[in-house]
Amino acid sequence: MFSAKFLPIPKFHLKFCKFLNCIPFRYSENLGRLVPIKNGDTLFKFKLQCVLSTLYCGAMGANIFLGGLSTTEKLQGSIFLMAYLIGAVSRWNYELSPGPIQVINSFLQYEAGPLRDLLHISVQSGIVKVMRTFIWLMEFSICVIPILQLVLLIYAPCTAPFILSMIPNCGERSNRGFQVGIHLFESWMGYHTMYSGATWLCYVLLGGITGFLEYLKIL
């Protein structure tokens, strides 16, 4: 079930993650499973992104709860904060623990052995189809959200809870190059935080739960 219906999606997902250097593992076609990345530069970038995501969420939270924002701005900012906070918490793996990839590898190994001849039963399951559709929607969303955020900030650069809204008299600043640089940085933050966090949420949590439910049906 996982290898037949879910695996093609994370393989597609991991291509973007590789470009962003936002996860400490990769899929090995030869081994047919996920393996840790050994490249020191990639691991350093991943750890740096973990720290930046945490600091970014902390700055957002401080701006919302301690800044001089109106109630409307606080409610608006809380939506963005929750999205980034979920991603930052989900992707945190500074110690490079292999636990998350072991979950996926266990499914792949199990389906290549004891369940090999029974997978056709769950492949047609409605639960699998619904979850697969939901994960594709998640993939589309995490690709589009940072772009829409960038467009929003270009037209409303002082939107809370983003960085420029933390600067006093934000609306009076006219350095357009500085503003665009900040907006691009925040879009990059959105991409690596959401892509990394979605890896665990979609394929370890949601995919794992669906896999267990389908295995119970078969067995």
Side-chain angles (χ1 to χ4, degrees):
M1 183 278 300
F2 193 96
S3 57
K5 285 296 182 178
F6 285 125
L7 186 58
I9 310 177
K11 287 171 68 175
F12 172 80
H13 177 89
L14 291 177
K15 293 179 181 179
F16 291 94
C17 293
K18 180 181 179 181
F19 175 75
L20 295 168
N21 295 304
C22 63
I23 52 173
F25 64 87
R26 62 181 178 83
Y27 181 78
S28 172
E29 293 287 352
N30 294 331
L31 299 176
R33 60 186 177 89
L34 300 174
V35 296
I37 290 176
K38 302 298 184 181
N39 185 283
D41 291 338
T42 300
L43 296 179
F44 172 77
K45 291 175 183 177
F46 170 75
K47 289 184 175 182
L48 178 62
Q49 290 174 4
C50 286
V51 174
L52 287 176
S53 296
T54 303
L55 295 176
Y56 190 58
C57 289
M60 278 187 169
N63 188 28
I64 292 173
F65 299 109
L66 302 178
L69 302 178
S70 66
T71 301
T72 302
E73 289 175 326
K74 288 182 178 180
L75 292 174
Q76 169 189 288
S78 297
I79 298 174
F80 290 103
L81 175 61
M82 286 301 298
Y84 277 91
L85 187 60
I86 291 172
V89 172
S90 301
R91 65 94 48 92
W92 181 264
N93 189 15
Y94 192 85
E95 296 79 13
L96 305 177
S97 169
I101 67 173
Q102 289 176 347
V103 174
I104 298 177
N105 286 339
S106 296
F107 285 130
L108 298 177
Q109 184 177 0
Y110 192 52
E111 292 182 4
L115 291 183
R116 188 179 186 88
D117 298 327
L118 300 175
L119 289 180
H120 67 281
I121 299 176
S122 63
V123 165
Q124 303 300 324
S125 169
I127 296 177
V128 174
K129 292 180 180 179
V130 170
M131 189 58 68
R132 190 170 183 271
T133 301
F134 177 76
I135 290 177
W136 272 120
L137 289 175
M138 288 280 290
E139 288 288 340
F140 175 77
S141 298
I142 60 178
C143 179
V144 170
I145 287 175
I147 297 176
L148 296 179
Q149 174 187 305
L150 177 61
V151 173
L152 170 65
L153 292 177
I154 288 176
Y155 286 95
C158 298
T159 301
F162 299 103
I163 292 176
L164 290 181
S165 68
M166 305 175 192
I167 301 175
N169 303 319
C170 168
E172 299 177 5
R173 292 184 173 271
S174 58
N175 190 332
R176 193 64 176 173
F178 172 77
Q179 291 183 355
V180 171
I182 294 295
H183 300 335
L184 291 175
F185 169 77
E186 293 191 277
S187 295
W188 172 73
M189 288 293 298
Y191 269 120
H192 73 70
T193 300
M194 293 182 186
Y195 264 102
S196 184
T199 305
W200 316 120
L201 288 175
C202 291
Y203 307 112
V204 176
L205 180 61
L206 299 181
I209 292 174
T210 305
F212 277 121
L213 292 176
E214 292 303 303
Y215 295 160
L216 290 175
K217 284 184 181 180
I218 296 174
L219 301 175

